[in-house]
Amino acid sequence: MSLLNDLFAKPLEPGYEDVAARRRAAGEDPASVGQLRFSPALILGTVALGLLLTMAALQVRATADVVSAERQSLIERIHAEDDNVSRLQETVASLESEISGLEASLLENSAAGRQLRDEVRQLQARAGSMAVTGPGVVVTVDNAENPESYEDPNDALVQDIDLQQAVNGLWAAGAEAVSINGQRITALTAIRRVDNVMKINYRPTQAPYEITAIGDSRSLPSEFGDGTGASWLRYFSLPFDVQSAESLTVPAGSTSLIYAKPGEAT
């Protein structure tokens, strides 16, 4: 019990009690021990630090505003260039149509000319430089449902290889002309996905992807459904729909060659 009595009677350690007694004898407040003394230098330093932090925050905000403005400007430039490319493509298509009309009128004057005209049209249709119409199917491919169920949400998006497999499946099923979202598929076509943007013939497009294929509308659906193209889409759980039609149009594509020249006949 004596130990408990000492604890309650003398809560301070003897050393602390001696220091407090000496401070009282010297006329100082014992409670001031350990209190901070705010010097002018400390106050000025604190104010300077606050100013620096404020300036840094303003600079970061200004930089963010500049980056946002530059990004918006870049987006507007991209859209403007896309519109310009579309206008140029329309001009090219119009000029090609005019040239075809002039060629047809010149070849119309003789039987040999008419035969040559028909052969040229067949070659243009096969090469993809001429718009074609006829029966066929429209295969609509979309992104997978419930993307949140995927470990990587990008796996739920249609990839370039998915469209490539679908197009190859249509060729194998007997398609004679194919387009994706209005872009003709030719020997020069590139189907690429870059930074989550699908590009057909270097033109951006997005899901759903309507793949128009001209061919036998009676056999194409079953041949495609039983082939590798549909099997690929099913394997990766990508929803797709196949609809037959008696009249479809596949636009002309760009088949201009820059370096390749016709070889000499042998």
Side-chain angles (χ1 to χ4, degrees), residues 2-16:
S2 60
L3 179 59
L4 292 176
N5 291 332
D6 290 341
L7 287 175
F8 285 107
K10 299 179 180 180
L12 288 178
E13 286 287 335
Y16 289 109

Side-chain angles (χ1 to χ4, degrees), residues 48-129:
L49 179 61
L51 289 174
L52 287 174
L53 292 175
T54 302
M55 292 175 62
L58 292 175
Q59 182 66 30
V60 169
R61 181 175 180 179
T63 303
D65 292 340
V66 170
V67 171
S68 178
E70 290 179 350
R71 180 177 181 275
Q72 184 61 34
S73 175
L74 181 59
I75 292 174
E76 292 175 356
R77 287 174 56 190
I78 291 173
H79 289 164
E81 290 300 325
D82 284 340
D83 293 340
N84 188 39
V85 169
S86 297
R87 287 193 296 269
L88 290 175
Q89 287 182 333
E90 291 174 359
T91 301
V92 169
S94 176
L95 292 174
E96 288 179 344
S97 177
E98 184 178 349
I99 292 172
S100 297
L102 293 173
E103 290 176 345
S105 63
L106 291 174
L107 296 174
E108 192 70 29
N109 297 327
S110 65
R114 288 190 291 272
Q115 181 179 356
L116 179 59
R117 177 202 61 193
D118 294 339
E119 291 177 358
V120 169
R121 286 182 174 177
Q122 285 291 331
L123 292 174
Q124 288 176 328
R126 292 177 182 177
S129 61

Side-chain angles (χ1 to χ4, degrees), residues 210-234:
E210 288 191 355
I211 308 176
T212 302
I214 291 181
D216 190 340
S217 59
R218 295 167 298 180
S219 62
L220 265 178
S222 59
E223 292 291 336
F224 175 76
D226 296 336
T228 57
S231 297
W232 178 280
L233 298 176
R234 292 192 195 99

Side-chain angles (χ1 to χ4, degrees), residues 22-246:
R22 287 197 299 270
R23 294 185 66 85
R24 280 194 295 269
E28 298 178 3
D29 184 4
S32 65
V33 178
Q35 289 183 348
L36 293 176
R37 291 182 173 85
F38 295 97
S39 65
L42 179 60
I43 295 174
L44 289 175
T46 303
V47 172
L49 179 61
L51 289 174
L52 287 174
L53 292 175
T54 302
M55 292 175 62
L58 292 175
Q59 182 66 30
V60 169
R61 181 175 180 179
T63 303
D65 292 340
V66 170
V67 171
S68 178
E70 290 179 350
R71 180 177 181 275
Q72 184 61 34
S73 175
L74 181 59
I75 292 174
E76 292 175 356
R77 287 174 56 190
I78 291 173
H79 289 164
E81 290 300 325
D82 284 340
D83 293 340
N84 188 39
V85 169
S86 297
R87 287 193 296 269
L88 290 175
Q89 287 182 333
E90 291 174 359
T91 301
V92 169
S94 176
L95 292 174
E96 288 179 344
S97 177
E98 184 178 349
I99 292 172
S100 297
L102 293 173
E103 290 176 345
S105 63
L106 291 174
L107 296 174
E108 192 70 29
N109 297 327
S110 65
R114 288 190 291 272
Q115 181 179 356
L116 179 59
R117 177 202 61 193
D118 294 339
E119 291 177 358
V120 169
R121 286 182 174 177
Q122 285 291 331
L123 292 174
Q124 288 176 328
R126 292 177 182 177
S129 61
M130 173 185 287
V132 293
T133 60
V137 297
V138 177
V139 179
T140 304
V141 183
D142 207 346
N143 297 322
E145 299 176 353
N146 302 321
E148 63 277 1
S149 63
Y150 288 77
E151 183 176 351
D152 184 355
N154 288 328
D155 292 340
L157 303 178
V158 176
Q159 303 298 320
D160 45 18
I161 191 172
D162 301 323
L163 294 182
Q164 292 166 7
Q165 291 289 339
V167 169
N168 289 338
L170 286 167
W171 291 130
E176 298 176 352
V178 178
S179 67
I180 302 177
N181 285 4
Q183 291 294 319
R184 181 73 171 268
I185 305 301
T186 70
L188 302 178
T189 293
I191 303 176
R192 296 288 295 165
R193 187 177 189 89
V194 181
D195 294 333
N196 285 333
V197 176
M198 187 71 74
K199 293 186 177 182
I200 313 294
N201 291 328
Y202 305 104
R203 299 302 310 281
T205 187
Q206 60 185 3
Y209 303 99
E210 288 191 355
I211 308 176
T212 302
I214 291 181
D216 190 340
S217 59
R218 295 167 298 180
S219 62
L220 265 178
S222 59
E223 292 291 336
F224 175 76
D226 296 336
T228 57
S231 297
W232 178 280
L233 298 176
R234 292 192 195 99
Y235 180 81
F236 288 99
S237 302
L238 294 173
F240 68 95
D241 177 67
V242 182
Q243 294 291 332
S244 300
E246 292 305 315

